[in-house]
Amino acid sequence: MNRFDYLKPVDIKEACTILADKGSKAKPLAGGTDLLVRWRKGKVCPEYLVDLKGLGLEGVSVSKDGGISIGALSTLNSLLDSEYICRNYPFLTEILDDMGSVQIRNRATIGGNICNASSTSDLAPILLALGAKSKALALDGERELKLENFFLSPGKTVLAENEILADIQLPPFSKKSGAVYLKMKRNAMDLALAGVAVFLTLQDEDTCAAAKIVLGAVSPTPVIATQASDALVSAKIDEKNIEKAADLAEKAVTLVKKEVRPIDNVRASSWYRQDVIKSLTAQAIEIAYKRALQSIKK
Amino acid sequence: MSEMTVVGKYIPSINALSKVTGQNKMLQDMKMPGMLYGKVFRSTQVHARIRKIDVSKARKLPGVRAVITAADIPPRVYCYSPDSVDEEILCSKKVRYIGDEIAAVAADSVEIAQEALKLIEVEYEPLPGTFDTVKAMESNAPLVHEDKGSNIVGELDKEFGDIEKGFAESDHIFEDYFVSSRQAHCCMETRGCIAQYAAGGSYTIWAPTQGPHNTRTQLAEALGIDKSKVRVIDTAAGGAFGQKVMLDTNVPIAAYLSKFTGRPVKLVNTREEEFFNSRTSYEFKVYLKTGVTEEGKILAKQARVILDNGAYTDQGFNMVRFAGVVFSVLYDVPNIKYQGSLVYTNNQPSTAFRGFGNQQINFAFEAHLDQIAAKLGLDPMEIRLLNANKTGYTKATKAFINTCPFKECIEETARLSGWAEKRKLYDKQDKNKRFQRGIGMAMMTHTGCSTRNGGFLAGEAFIKISEDGIVSLITPIVELGQGGTTAMTQIVAEGMGVKMEDVRIINADTEVIPFDPGAFGSRQTFIDGHAALAAALDAKKEMLSVAATMLDCKAEELDAADGIVFMKNKPDDPKVSTRDVAKYVVTQKGTLISGYGLYADETAPEGGRTKAFATYIPTYAYGCQAIEVEVDQETGKVEILKITALTDSGRTLNPLLAEGQIHGALAQGLGYAFTEEYVIDEGKVLTDSFVDYKVPRAEDMPEMVLDFIESNDLGPYGVKGIGESGLVPTQAALANAVYQATGVLIKELPVKPEKVLKGLKQRGLC
């Protein structure tokens, strides 16, 4: 690791000023669980480390419509402890509980996870499926971002060097909805070999009103499987349609394959990642559907 | 003797408190006045001639105290094995794998040392490399060591009975091929040491090792100096698993850095270095041919194994031999042929690993045997029992099986795993269902006490007793976390009749302890336990004779247990405490009590000199495991539902620690079987972190049902060594279970979902 200056701004304005001032020489520090690993490996070598902790970007606030805004600097374990999330977005609690180790979750933040833009992020697919939005802060103002446009490539996002991700906003979770994220992994505490997030809203007990299927770990950025999602809309959730959607999800990987190099590494071959997407998708649709049904019946 | 007071009892490790409170200092915690930090400049090439090394810029960096290359140290090629001297401390002309040592730096801090590495310039002339053992044996393969004239380091060819006759008489002959891949040890701490040079040319080394005397011998050999010039002091170890049997290549480098600077030098691997440089287990390619009768009796079995030595020779010769011995001895077969080759490649060198080659060959043969059983329509348990070993001499190899709980191990495994019902149930399951279950088993034999290789199988121990009755055992036992020191404490307490809390262990320092090669081959509780028991009995005799004077009776009338001396005919009437006897002897008699113990296996020298084969193991231990799985046929994902492990312990000295050994072994065995894929691509290690190299986490462990068979063998109180055997049958048991569930047999470890899914697709099952 190179020599560097550690800077601890007292407010957002100072943080934005430093980031604007130092440009690419600076790196914002949230939990550091990704940054420090990359740093030690020599993949980044910032001259200034700008600690964003303690700027008031932590915590969960409930909006009027029942949706939430999660401060980007909230640690994963603090979100795991959030009763509101557990009650209203239980699938999110489920994902958080399976991420990293206790020690990692004590440090890692939701904003850090998103800004790190790892192709194997467990949070990105579900947040995309939910249609999450974010706010980015800079000296000259703030802007709203749709998370589905956020990721450019592994490690790269639409955030400018002088911008800070402030929060992740989730719309209210409807009484008729169900969601789940499933991932294939080798054993405990593994990165996803393939991941599928499914978010369904039902019209009635049989028919699906809206659906979004997002695939993780099969390409450099999360893939919204549009055709697969569309196949479920206004359709009956039965074996035939689930199979159809799962097939389309697998095809979505093929479509991606044409454009970018699919992930093919020591953790899993690209054919395997693609192959299990079908099975994962079918399973995820079934679970999301069951959850939505349960929710209606309540 | 009345009932045991501490032997056979659940007793926590005597180091438990210091470990959980952080008092147990590891090498990484240690600092010495004036200490410098070393770093090694390693080859980035798999195979290349060194044209030029320029360290001038590194030498000028402020804070750098020494930079050394081969040009700065006496030229010397060394090896543990005198048959294959091939390694330099720092490469002078050629590098042979990625990670090979070229130069080293000592600096005021690790950061400065790392900075200095970046200033070292090396010009290479790249050479073609060789990575696959079969290709490396071909005549046109690039030579890893030109002076050897061939990449074949050594070969072993053994035949017992008449193999061709055996095949001719067989009703069926089966042939198969398996690959047992490498496994990384993954100790909690990475390898390293602190070296201190002293005027007069002597060195002191602090390092976690599996045998400080072995380290001393090998360092003296590497440096070309007298052994008496080297002192090794063991530090606490976070596991070893065979990795710390052999000299860490960092040690001679740190020794020279200390010599050049006159200061202590600490040199510790990063985790990445640990993965690509600190050696792994040997990859085995295994070709099998087996002849059986219609009934399933094995008449002939033949194995051809090829081991990836890597770039330098380590334990390969011993491993070829040991794997051949356990292959030949498991099952009583009249005709056996075993051929082993040890082959140089431009991969990282291989070294010892818990199990010492047994798991590699066991996986192949035990999976092969299930295939034979399936073809003959036999239950896997049946075919094993039909060919079971018995007490006495084996038919072909004439190995002597002293105690043989083969049948008990397999029958208990079957009972505890519900073998018969489950096997039947899963045979009849609906094959169209997505989730399929299976149960598989594997049997093993392993040494119950090291080998007679090299002719040495002995141990010594000394006991001194302080004036207040504290009993100190001076022993070569090495504490790696396995509980060796706790076992010695129990043996001394039981043997002498003193309280466990009154026993102290003095070990770890070659200047203090008697000679001993170390903790490997499941040997120390057996050998050093015998010596400790002998020393305890010797000291007890003296103690009772003093007590007899105090009590005005005959020593023969007395006994002691749990710190109390009593009359044999009145065990419930305490006479005097062992502490009081110790006080009395100092204050009233003006003398002291001590004890000496020696264990020596009389057969050892002969076995060593003749390089015996199966007869070189003093006693064999048995074990059996059954694994139950559920396979998702859509994804190939295997879930382990339950593992049943039976271990022939001889006598379980301490069930708590014995269970710990088996739990740990199962985790390591399942890791090897299942997720620990060590990927080397053209000599480059791709799995150099715990993100890519997946060792099992606590939550990955399935239900484990353990039991021990007490065969009452030759060790102290009847023990056999159990340090290694727990991971031997695990791989085959898993592969066999997956085979029952899916009809897919994975022949190359690990059994990963991708391979299972590929197998299912090939069979048209999904």
Side-chain angles (χ1 to χ4, degrees):
Chain A
M1 275 168 79
N2 55 301
R3 288 178 169 274
F4 64 95
D5 284 343
Y6 169 83
L7 305 174
K8 182 101 177 89
V10 293
D11 54 26
I12 302 229
K13 195 179 157 203
E14 192 191 352
C16 291
T17 311
I18 294 170
L19 288 175
D21 199 34
K22 308 295 183 194
S24 62
K25 290 179 186 167
K27 274 275 173 199
L29 171 73
T33 54
D34 286 312
L35 180 66
L36 291 180
V37 175
R38 288 169 57 75
W39 199 346
R40 212 184 132 263
K41 289 205 165 203
K43 288 179 181 168
V44 289
C45 40
E47 290 170 40
Y48 302 94
L49 193 60
V50 189
D51 195 341
L52 302 181
K53 286 189 283 291
L55 300 180
L57 296 176
E58 297 89 5
V60 179
S61 55
V62 182
S63 48
K64 279 180 201 152
D65 61 1
I68 51 172
S69 161
I70 304 171
L73 270 285
S74 307
T75 66
L76 301 184
N77 265 348
S78 74
L79 300 178
L80 200 50
D81 291 342
S82 159
E83 272 186 41
Y84 191 85
I85 290 179
C86 187
R87 221 174 19 239
N88 296 283
Y89 303 87
F91 51 90
L92 204 54
T93 305
E94 195 176 83
I95 298 167
L96 291 163
D97 194 35
D98 193 46
M99 287 176 70
S101 60
V102 175
Q103 293 91 330
I104 291 289
R105 290 196 299 266
N106 276 335
R107 300 288 307 176
T109 65
I110 187 167
N113 185 278
I114 295 307
C115 291
N116 189 50
S118 160
S119 52
T120 58
S121 165
D122 288 327
L123 284 171
I126 194 74
L127 296 176
L128 256 66
L130 292 173
K133 287 179 193 156
S134 272
K135 192 163 63 189
L137 308 174
L139 263 189
D140 51 359
E142 55 181 63
R143 58 170 176 150
E144 290 286 328
L145 299 165
K146 273 190 180 173
L147 218 54
E148 61 176 77
N149 303 323
F150 188 74
F151 303 106
L152 299 176
S153 62
K156 290 224 164 57
T157 70
V158 298
L159 276 192
E161 273 169 2
N162 62 351
E163 280 183 312
I164 294 170
L165 188 81
D167 66 2
I168 313 280
Q169 301 151 28
L170 300 183
F173 196 70
S174 143
K175 285 281 174 241
K176 289 180 174 179
S177 298
V180 71
Y181 169 73
L182 294 181
K183 77 178 193 187
M184 178 57 68
K185 54 182 185 176
R186 290 166 297 177
N187 61 7
M189 289 203 279
D190 196 13
L191 300 176
L193 306 180
V196 177
V198 172
F199 170 46
L200 291 181
T201 305
L202 297 181
Q203 205 165 304
D204 51 49
E205 288 200 5
D206 288 331
T207 325
C208 174
K212 205 166 209 180
I213 300 173
V214 185
L215 315 177
V218 288
S219 75
T221 59
V223 178
I224 299 176
T226 316
Q227 286 184 11
S229 312
D230 290 349
L232 294 176
V233 179
S234 308
K236 212 175 155 201
I237 307 285
D238 56 15
E239 209 175 300
K240 196 185 96 210
N241 284 330
I242 289 176
E243 168 102 21
K244 189 176 159 197
D247 270 335
L248 288 166
E250 192 187 348
K251 289 213 178 72
V253 184
T254 322
L255 286 177
V256 175
K257 259 187 175 174
K258 285 179 187 156
E259 296 161 33
V260 291
R261 210 162 55 92
I263 301 173
D264 190 3
N265 62 16
V266 294
R267 298 199 280 273
S269 314
S270 62
W271 76 263
Y272 183 74
R273 292 172 191 269
Q274 182 175 355
D275 203 288
V276 295
I277 280 291
K278 188 180 160 182
S279 156
L280 280 181
T281 305
Q283 206 183 331
I285 295 171
E286 274 174 44
I287 294 172
Y289 175 57
K290 263 185 211 154
R291 288 178 176 179
L293 273 185
Q294 274 169 7
S295 181
I296 287 184
K297 284 175 183 164
K298 261 186 206 164
Chain B
M1 200 183 224
S2 54
E3 204 187 315
M4 300 279 179
T5 55
V6 287
V7 161
K9 302 282 193 289
Y10 279 77
I11 293 170
S13 160
I14 58 167
N15 314 106
L17 187 68
S18 72
K19 280 187 179 169
V20 296
T21 53
Q23 302 298 300
N24 193 48
K25 295 292 176 221
M26 314 290 288
L27 177 77
Q28 273 78 348
D29 301 314
M30 289 171 65
K31 274 201 179 99
M32 291 188 183
M35 188 172 84
L36 299 173
Y37 297 84
K39 273 283 146 197
V40 177
F41 183 91
R42 302 183 181 282
S43 167
T44 53
Q45 303 283 313
V46 286
H47 195 195
R49 250 180 270 288
I50 300 170
R51 279 224 191 102
K52 200 178 135 197
I53 307 174
D54 185 354
V55 295
S56 56
K57 284 182 199 155
R59 283 196 171 127
K60 282 179 199 144
L61 186 74
V64 169
R65 305 294 167 180
V67 182
I68 58 169
T69 67
D72 302 303
I73 62 176
R76 185 171 176 81
V77 188
Y78 73 101
C79 182
Y80 156 78
S81 168
D83 301 325
S84 181
V85 173
D86 57 14
E87 190 161 6
E88 289 177 299
I89 295 171
L90 294 168
C91 298
S92 59
K93 296 181 188 74
K94 227 176 98 160
V95 291
R96 296 179 176 87
Y97 75 102
I98 293 176
D100 220 348
E101 297 86 357
I102 298 174
V105 177
D108 293 348
S109 71
V110 176
E111 289 74 19
I112 296 172
Q114 270 166 338
E115 211 48 44
L117 293 187
K118 292 183 196 157
L119 301 174
I120 295 174
E121 289 162 17
V122 175
E123 242 178 70
Y124 299 102
E125 178 194 331
L127 298 168
T130 187
F131 311 102
D132 177 84
T133 47
V134 171
K135 284 184 192 152
M137 287 196 289
E138 289 167 5
S139 57
N140 59 350
L143 289 178
V144 180
H145 295 267
E146 284 91 349
D147 57 318
K148 308 279 182 198
S150 158
N151 285 329
I152 299 171
V153 188
E155 297 201 293
L156 183 68
D157 198 335
K158 289 275 173 189
E159 185 171 336
F160 302 95
D162 183 339
I163 193 75
E164 287 314 322
K165 187 166 154 271
F167 284 130
E169 288 169 358
S170 298
D171 296 322
H172 302 277
I173 290 172
F174 297 91
E175 290 186 68
D176 220 330
Y177 170 62
F178 294 84
V179 180
S180 300
S181 48
R182 288 173 179 244
Q183 185 177 15
H185 306 78
C186 297
C187 300
M188 281 193 283
E189 85 285 33
T190 56
R191 285 203 97 172
C193 68
I194 296 173
Q196 168 78 74
Y197 174 81
S202 68
Y203 297 88
T204 304
I205 306 297
W206 290 265
T209 82
Q210 278 179 254
H213 273 109
N214 247 10
T215 302
R216 180 171 95 134
T217 305
Q218 291 167 40
L219 180 60
E221 173 61 27
L223 298 177
I225 60 173
D226 205 48
K227 280 179 208 166
S228 61
K229 296 274 188 195
V230 179
R231 176 181 187 182
V232 178
I233 301 172
D234 260 334
T235 57
F241 317 115
Q243 187 197 33
K244 292 163 182 160
V245 173
M246 302 299 291
L247 180 70
D248 174 10
T249 53
N250 286 323
V251 175
I253 295 173
Y256 273 124
L257 286 172
S258 178
K259 184 179 180 182
F260 277 83
T261 57
R263 290 161 66 170
V265 175
K266 186 179 197 171
L267 181 47
V268 180
N269 281 350
T270 62
R271 185 56 72 176
E272 290 84 354
E273 283 179 299
E274 190 77 358
F275 272 112
F276 70 75
N277 184 256
S278 69
R279 308 192 176 189
T280 65
S281 70
Y282 286 80
E283 179 212 73
F284 276 51
K285 290 190 169 84
V286 184
Y287 301 84
L288 294 172
K289 185 174 174 186
T290 305
V292 293
T293 64
E294 196 64 50
E295 296 73 38
K297 196 95 185 143
I298 306 171
L299 296 184
K301 67 172 188 173
Q302 181 174 1
R304 162 114 183 82
V305 302
I306 304 169
L307 275 68
D308 183 359
N309 188 58
Y312 299 103
T313 307
D314 188 299
Q315 283 278 357
F317 286 104
N318 292 338
M319 185 105 24
V320 170
R321 179 175 299 269
F322 186 78
V325 168
V326 285
F327 167 77
S328 305
V329 171
L330 182 60
Y331 303 115
D332 204 10
V333 176
N335 306 294
I336 295 167
K337 188 168 173 64
Y338 174 79
Q339 295 163 289
S341 301
L342 180 65
V343 180
Y344 278 126
T345 61
N346 292 108
N347 293 322
Q348 173 183 185
S350 311
T351 190
F353 196 107
R354 185 186 204 175
F356 211 71
N358 195 349
Q359 63 269 47
Q360 286 98 321
I361 197 153
N362 185 279
F363 161 63
F365 191 78
E366 287 295 284
H368 175 65
L369 192 58
D370 262 38
Q371 297 298 300
I372 296 175
K375 298 273 164 47
L376 298 179
L378 291 172
D379 183 279
M381 181 175 160
E382 224 178 302
I383 197 167
R384 286 174 171 83
L385 283 175
L386 195 63
N387 294 287
N389 288 118
K390 290 170 198 71
T391 305
Y393 291 98
T394 56
K395 284 192 196 102
T397 58
K398 306 296 174 215
F400 187 71
I401 313 289
N402 188 53
T403 49
C404 185
F406 186 114
K407 199 162 167 271
E408 292 91 320
C409 279
I410 206 165
E411 284 174 350
E412 268 304 283
T413 303
R415 192 178 67 80
L416 292 171
S417 64
W419 174 264
E421 311 87 79
K422 283 185 173 154
R423 193 75 194 171
K424 211 180 280 171
L425 185 69
Y426 299 154
D427 267 342
K428 281 193 264 172
Q429 68 196 320
D430 177 1
K431 292 288 168 194
N432 295 316
K433 277 192 174 161
R434 175 175 172 179
F435 293 96
Q436 295 285 319
R437 289 190 172 192
I439 184 166
M441 71 158 53
M443 187 70 203
M444 74 106 219
T445 188
H446 196 79
T447 175
C449 172
S450 192
T451 71
R452 292 164 176 146
N453 207 19
F456 184 83
L457 201 63
E460 259 188 332
F462 299 88
I463 279 176
K464 64 184 183 101
I465 300 172
S466 73
E467 75 282 14
D468 60 350
I470 295 299
V471 178
S472 296
L473 176 75
I474 301 167
T475 168
I477 202 87
V478 182
E479 182 58 63
L480 304 162
Q482 88 284 36
T485 50
T486 305
M488 292 307 114
T489 305
Q490 284 179 265
I491 287 171
V492 168
E494 193 71 62
M496 231 189 122
V498 297
K499 285 184 181 299
M500 254 197 84
E501 58 262 35
D502 286 353
V503 180
R504 305 279 184 275
I505 300 292
I506 297 172
N507 63 344
D509 184 346
T510 53
E511 295 287 285
V512 176
I513 60 172
F515 172 74
D516 184 88
F520 56 82
S522 306
R523 67 181 287 283
Q524 280 208 316
T525 302
F526 192 113
I527 294 169
D528 297 313
H530 258 312
L533 179 57
L537 294 175
D538 189 34
K540 184 182 189 180
K541 199 174 162 196
E542 198 175 341
M543 183 181 71
L544 291 181
S545 103
V546 173
T549 317
M550 290 170 78
L551 299 169
D552 198 18
C553 65
K554 285 184 185 149
E556 298 81 51
E557 294 173 307
L558 294 172
D559 201 350
D562 200 26
I564 301 292
V565 178
F566 52 86
M567 304 290 286
K568 277 178 185 165
N569 57 7
K570 278 189 194 165
D572 298 327
D573 179 18
K575 288 292 180 199
V576 60
S577 73
T578 54
R579 283 190 169 214
D580 286 339
V581 178
K583 276 176 208 157
Y584 173 85
V585 82
V586 175
T587 56
Q588 306 295 314
K589 289 190 78 185
T591 170
L592 292 160
I593 301 172
S594 62
Y596 170 71
L598 169 71
Y599 169 77
D601 168 28
E602 286 168 12
T603 323
E606 195 187 347
R609 280 189 211 112
T610 56
K611 287 210 165 185
F613 193 64
T615 55
Y616 87 157
I617 289 183
T619 187
Y620 285 86
Y622 287 84
C624 186
Q625 290 177 14
I627 295 182
E628 195 182 346
V629 299
E630 182 172 86
V631 183
D632 180 349
Q633 299 204 98
E634 275 191 16
T635 62
K637 180 101 182 157
V638 178
E639 194 194 338
I640 297 168
L641 304 172
K642 179 178 163 183
I643 179 160
T644 307
L646 260 288
T647 307
D648 166 18
S649 64
R651 169 78 180 255
T652 311
L653 266 188
N654 182 338
L656 186 64
L657 297 192
E659 284 168 13
Q661 272 284 14
I662 305 302
H663 284 152
L666 291 177
Q668 203 158 29
L670 282 179
Y672 183 39
F674 209 34
T675 54
E676 292 185 35
E677 187 175 31
Y678 191 83
V679 186
I680 317 180
D681 180 29
E682 303 261 287
K684 183 166 174 50
V685 176
L686 301 180
T687 43
D688 67 350
S689 77
F690 288 122
V691 173
D692 291 326
Y693 188 81
K694 289 295 285 179
V695 294
R697 300 332 201 238
E699 69 170 276
D700 292 315
M701 292 311 291
E703 180 192 355
M704 293 179 277
V705 177
L706 310 187
D707 208 354
F708 295 90
I709 304 277
E710 299 201 310
S711 53
N712 193 14
D713 203 69
L714 304 169
Y717 297 104
V719 307
K720 288 180 182 180
I722 56 157
E724 302 174 281
S725 57
L727 54 59
V728 173
T730 317
Q731 294 69 229
L734 176 69
N736 290 340
V738 172
Y739 178 74
Q740 198 207 5
T742 62
V744 173
L745 177 67
I746 304 302
K747 296 180 183 183
E748 180 166 356
L749 291 172
V751 181
K752 67 177 199 172
E754 244 181 88
K755 293 182 191 168
V756 176
L757 189 61
K758 198 179 263 176
L760 285 164
K761 282 175 187 292
Q762 279 164 357
R763 296 187 68 237
L765 288 174
C766 74

